Amino acid sequence: MVGDTDYSKYDLTHLQAELEQEREMKEMLEESVSDLKSTMCELQERLHSVDGEGNEWKTRYETQIELNGQLERQISIVHEKLEDLRGNPMDRLASIRSYDDMPVDTLRQRLKLLTNETSDLQSQLMDCRFRIEHEGKAFHKTYDERRAYLSEIAKLSSTLEANRRQYSTQPQGALGRRQKRPVR
């Protein structure tokens, strides 16, 4: 009898108890893996919702580009007006002479118009500064949240991987002996 093994030295109740411990350990590890997977899924969903806010930033960016275009057009109009006022560059007093020829009421209207334009431009500038500052703060807040989520995902992934490695590298009997659950 070449393949005969003496099974009499194994106690059936001992084997059943060890098998039950192994089953409990397996169940506990599967539950732990399941919990970690669900946590990872939740964090990834949060991350994707943060990434989805990229559309909002794209819209803000496009709006800012449009606003910059409008401001550039206004700047070019102001430059054209300056060139018209300057007149002949050889005649440095041409702009002053153009005002000399205007009646006082026209000069007052011109001054009022320029004052209003200056006020409007200053108001737009302040609005732009405020929006840029506000959007910068919102961006940094979102970026910090994103980094925190990525850090938490990485931490959970490494914990999950460590649990998988620990479970796969330990002999089945060692797991059962080391982590016995107390009987309640």
Side-chain angles (χ1 to χ4, degrees), residues 12-25:
L12 180 61
T13 58
H14 175 69
L15 289 174
Q16 287 177 337
E18 193 172 316
L19 180 63
E20 184 59 32
Q21 285 178 346
E22 291 295 323
R23 285 183 182 152
E24 288 176 4
M25 180 59 69

Side-chain angles (χ1 to χ4, degrees), residues 89-171:
M90 300 303 273
D91 185 6
R92 298 201 180 257
L93 299 176
S95 63
I96 296 173
R97 283 193 204 114
S98 68
Y99 289 120
D100 283 341
D101 297 337
M102 289 185 185
V104 174
D105 289 339
T106 307
L107 286 172
R108 285 188 182 139
Q109 288 175 351
R110 182 80 177 148
L111 178 62
K112 186 176 182 181
L113 178 68
L114 291 173
T115 305
N116 288 340
E117 284 181 12
T118 303
S119 175
D120 289 345
L121 290 173
Q122 286 176 341
S123 175
Q124 287 178 4
L125 181 63
M126 292 302 290
D127 288 344
C128 288
R129 284 183 183 163
F130 176 75
R131 281 202 329 235
I132 288 171
E133 183 178 315
H134 181 69
E135 289 175 5
K137 287 178 182 177
F139 171 77
H140 287 294
K141 179 183 176 196
T142 303
Y143 185 74
D144 290 343
E145 287 177 3
R146 179 180 176 268
R147 283 185 21 213
Y149 288 143
L150 287 173
S151 172
E152 198 168 337
I153 287 172
K155 198 183 317 177
L156 287 173
S157 294
S158 67
T159 303
L160 176 63
E161 192 60 36
N163 282 347
R164 284 183 184 161
R165 273 189 260 120
Q166 180 184 9
Y167 182 70
S168 66
T169 59
Q170 287 186 348

Side-chain angles (χ1 to χ4, degrees), residues 20-44:
E20 184 59 32
Q21 285 178 346
E22 291 295 323
R23 285 183 182 152
E24 288 176 4
M25 180 59 69
K26 180 182 176 186
E27 181 180 310
M28 182 181 71
L29 286 173
E30 286 175 348
E31 184 178 314
S32 175
V33 167
S34 174
D35 289 345
L36 287 172
K37 282 182 180 179
S38 66
T39 303
M40 261 182 61
C41 287
E42 289 173 11
L43 289 172
Q44 286 175 340

Side-chain angles (χ1 to χ4, degrees), residues 59-86:
T59 304
R60 289 181 179 186
Y61 171 77
E62 290 170 350
T63 304
Q64 188 64 45
I65 294 293
E66 184 179 324
L67 182 62
N68 289 352
Q70 290 174 357
L71 291 174
E72 287 175 5
R73 284 190 293 276
Q74 288 179 357
I75 288 171
S76 67
I77 290 170
V78 169
H79 281 295
E80 288 174 10
K81 286 181 181 179
L82 272 173
E83 291 300 319
D84 289 344
L85 290 176
R86 286 187 185 144

